Amino acid sequence: MQNINAYINEHKQRFIDELIDLLKIPSISADSTYKKDVLNTADAIKESLLKAGCDNVEICQTDGYPIVYGEKLIDKNLPTVLVYGHYDVQPPDPLDLWNSPPFEPVIQKTDLHPEGAIFARGACDDKGQMYMHVKALEYMTTNNELPCNVKFMIEGEEEVGSANLGKFVAANREKLENDVILISDTGMIAKDVPSITTGLRGLSYVEVEVTGPNRDLHSGLYGGAVANPINVLTKMIASLHDENNHITIPGFYDKVENLSDEERAEMAKAPFSLEAYKKALDIDAVYGEEGYTTNERNSIRPTLDVNGIWGGYIGEGAKTVIASKAYAKISMRLVPNQDWEEITQLFKTHFERIVPKAVKVKVKPHHGGQGYVTPIDGVGYQAASKAYEQTFGKTPIPQRSGGSIPIVALFEKELKSKTILMGFGLDSDAIHSPNEHFGVWNYLKGIETIPWFYKYFTELKSVE
Ligand code: BES
Ligand code: MN
Ligand code: MN
């Protein structure tokens, strides 16, 4: 791996240009208007894997968007790394908050990225991070440095809940057989504080509908005498947290894993500035569950949040109306041992119980998934740790993330292997937000670090 830096230096402009081409395709999985673009992105990934040295690449059809599968198998006695990533992206709206169009990538310097960052939807989540693996493979195959077998599985429905990936994995256990799963779809603490994500939260996502009168009513003629679904819904939602910001759904915390004081003390060692955190978000105070720090609230504790709420008149000017219906989309982030289907059921039962007689409520479950924790004493974690030591000159900090990649728990169940999350994004990269970006430095650092993982993993595995 000694000449990796020279190789990156020589080819970095092309690495950036290729990623920019990929980012130009609006592969928005949530919006069917972009179906052709999503499919074209799968084709582009296939081409890039072939060019990077995969011997066999297939576009695997599913009931939704296809999964791109690629492999380079050099010796069945050597270990196999399975790389997972996603080529779909979040919708870019609100469009007017972007400083440049989301699918016309530009490189801009920022305070945290003086070398420049690529601004585009998907730059960090996950096209940029996924493509680091393609370029790392290119380096290893071109320089005869690939130490083990590698498989790629890049899907196009992660941002909409990976509905068809589970079936694909279950039906292709042999094809996907591996010794470790490697994913870059998370972040790290800072450019000079490398970290490895050791936990992901689970998720339960539901939509609720409250119906009052059978039609929209004049708010003067009927106001005060019939239930207003928006008033009722907001009251019901407000009651889901108590004065200490604990969630009030009976049974919600029953299975929550409680960390020991030692584990919490260990967590608290990770560098974190509350002042910088507040400043970055322009807030005067943080807010959350009593008794927990900010970093605990957003990683080891479960949450309940309204993601969207609507109903009634929201056009220009004023319309005096009591709407017939009100809606909300609610997500619950879960921690290890909480089962997402059980939590969804607890929510439904509770929400249907607290509804006043004057309205009707419907709870519609969307998607969900279990949380995940990676052990830090396994060969995969150790190999990743050594890889970061090699390229950052520092031992990375294990850190649990608040985000979710629901399919990771399923990989463990179906494929019996652990996932290592080597993320190179920063919290400030604005994933899912306007002006998403990915530092050029981070992109190249990822390409540099990944091959070392392969090397150390193969070595450690051989003496295990
Ligand atoms: N890459 C993110 C998840 C993530 C980001 C985890 C940063 C940890 C750190 C992924 O694409 C994502 O957005 N996941 C969704 C869940 C999915 C079911 C839509 C999420 O976390 O909201
Ligand atoms: Mn992602
Ligand atoms: Mn995402």
Side-chain angles (χ1 to χ4, degrees):
M1 307 290 164
Q2 295 311 335
N3 64 348
I4 176 114
N5 289 321
Y7 189 84
I8 290 174
N9 243 328
E10 192 185 335
H11 298 279
K12 65 181 174 203
Q13 194 53 51
R14 177 172 58 82
F15 289 176
I16 294 167
D17 292 343
E18 288 175 11
L19 174 57
I20 284 180
D21 280 343
L22 199 58
L23 290 167
K24 285 182 184 162
I25 321 177
S27 51
I28 307 167
S29 50
D31 185 343
S32 58
T33 328
Y34 295 92
K35 187 167 177 193
K36 264 211 93 81
D37 297 296
V38 183
L39 296 173
N40 286 340
T41 310
D43 292 336
I45 306 289
K46 176 181 172 181
E47 286 313 306
S48 71
L49 282 171
L50 284 169
K51 275 200 197 126
C54 280
D55 292 328
N56 168 37
V57 184
E58 300 160 31
I59 302 237
C60 308
Q61 298 305 328
T62 71
D63 289 342
Y65 286 121
I67 292 157
V68 186
Y69 173 82
E71 62 186 17
K72 172 125 189 120
L73 307 178
I74 56 173
D75 180 344
K76 68 173 179 354
N77 295 314
L78 286 168
T80 300
V81 175
L82 173 66
V83 176
Y84 163 84
H86 61 95
Y87 64 82
D88 63 322
V89 302
Q90 284 274 323
D93 43 289
L95 278 175
D96 52 320
L97 295 182
W98 283 79
N99 297 328
S100 54
F103 298 106
E104 292 171 29
V106 291
I107 297 183
Q108 294 286 336
K109 293 186 163 91
T110 72
D111 288 350
L112 285 176
H113 297 293
E115 311 79 8
I118 305 171
F119 281 77
R121 173 56 87 230
C124 177
D125 184 11
D126 180 40
K127 282 176 176 163
Q129 296 214 69
M130 176 268 297
Y131 208 67
M132 298 181 315
H133 289 268
V134 181
K135 293 299 99 178
L137 175 68
E138 175 196 306
Y139 162 74
M140 291 187 286
T141 56
T142 316
N143 294 277
N144 233 338
E145 294 268 22
L146 182 65
C148 61
N149 305 305
V150 54
K151 297 175 177 174
F152 277 76
M153 174 171 59
I154 312 296
E155 72 152 319
E157 298 184 307
E158 197 278 341
E159 297 292 8
V160 288
S162 305
N164 297 292
L165 185 63
K167 205 161 128 194
F168 177 79
V169 171
N172 291 281
R173 282 201 199 99
E174 224 163 277
K175 184 191 192 105
L176 299 172
E177 207 169 70
N178 66 80
D179 296 278
V180 70
I181 297 168
L182 183 60
I183 304 181
S184 296
D185 194 20
T186 55
M188 59 180 184
I189 295 176
K191 284 162 82 177
D192 57 350
V193 188
S195 59
I196 298 175
T197 304
T198 50
L200 294 164
R201 285 197 283 195
L203 180 71
S204 162
Y205 201 109
V206 299
E207 186 167 327
V208 297
E209 177 190 297
V210 170
T211 308
N214 58 6
R215 58 186 164 90
D216 289 7
L217 302 173
H218 188 289
S219 65
L221 293 182
Y222 289 93
V226 294
N228 177 327
I230 301 176
N231 293 8
V232 171
L233 176 60
T234 51
K235 206 165 159 181
M236 287 169 75
I237 287 171
S239 78
L240 297 175
H241 289 94
D242 70 12
E243 65 284 3
N244 294 319
N245 283 317
H246 287 299
I247 294 155
T248 56
I249 300 170
F252 187 85
Y253 290 102
D254 282 2
K255 296 199 175 154
V256 166
E257 165 204 53
N258 283 308
L259 268 66
S260 65
D261 290 346
E262 292 76 49
E263 285 170 305
R264 290 178 69 183
E266 195 54 43
M267 262 190 84
K269 285 188 195 153
F272 175 72
S273 157
L274 190 59
E275 281 318 306
Y277 186 85
K278 290 193 287 189
K279 192 159 174 267
L281 301 176
D282 269 328
I283 51 175
D284 295 329
V286 291
Y287 188 87
E289 190 183 2
E290 191 83 7
Y292 294 93
T293 65
T294 294
N295 272 336
E296 291 173 337
R297 286 170 178 168
N298 68 23
S299 64
I300 60 161
R301 297 299 295 166
T303 62
L304 184 152
D305 277 294
V306 178
N307 294 245
I309 182 162
W310 70 104
Y313 183 69
I314 52 165
E316 200 183 328
K319 177 185 178 190
T320 49
V321 65
I322 292 175
S324 165
K325 285 178 187 286
Y327 305 84
K329 289 183 194 276
I330 296 173
S331 68
M332 289 163 276
R333 296 282 170 173
L334 311 175
V335 297
N337 303 337
Q338 281 183 300
D339 177 78
W340 79 272
E341 293 181 273
E342 199 176 313
I343 292 291
T344 305
Q345 191 53 49
L346 288 178
F347 176 92
K348 188 168 152 52
T349 307
H350 179 67
F351 216 65
E352 286 169 354
R353 198 180 56 78
I354 62 171
V355 69
K357 256 210 178 79
V359 299
K360 295 179 195 68
V361 68
K362 268 193 209 149
V363 177
K364 179 175 136 198
H366 278 277
H367 52 72
Q370 314 295 40
Y372 183 74
V373 179
T374 310
I376 62 171
D377 53 3
V379 169
Y381 185 91
Q382 296 304 326
S385 185
K386 286 181 72 156
Y388 283 89
E389 277 167 26
Q390 180 76 41
T391 60
F392 286 77
K394 284 180 186 170
T395 304
I397 297 173
Q399 198 199 31
R400 292 229 217 154
S401 169
S404 308
I405 311 176
I407 210 69
V408 171
L410 205 133
F411 288 157
E412 172 152 47
K413 190 167 152 247
E414 297 288 350
L415 304 175
K416 311 282 177 252
S417 40
K418 300 285 177 206
T419 291
I420 303 302
L421 298 154
M422 293 175 71
F424 293 88
L426 301 180
D427 282 352
S428 52
D429 287 345
I431 63 171
H432 294 208
S433 302
N435 303 312
E436 174 178 354
H437 55 282
F438 190 34
V440 169
W441 185 89
N442 300 63
Y443 177 53
L444 300 176
K445 204 67 181 170
I447 300 171
E448 179 191 344
T449 308
I450 290 163
W452 291 101
F453 171 83
Y454 283 73
K455 175 179 152 65
Y456 291 129
F457 183 75
T458 309
E459 284 175 13
L460 289 171
K461 199 75 193 162
S462 73
V463 297
E464 196 187 28

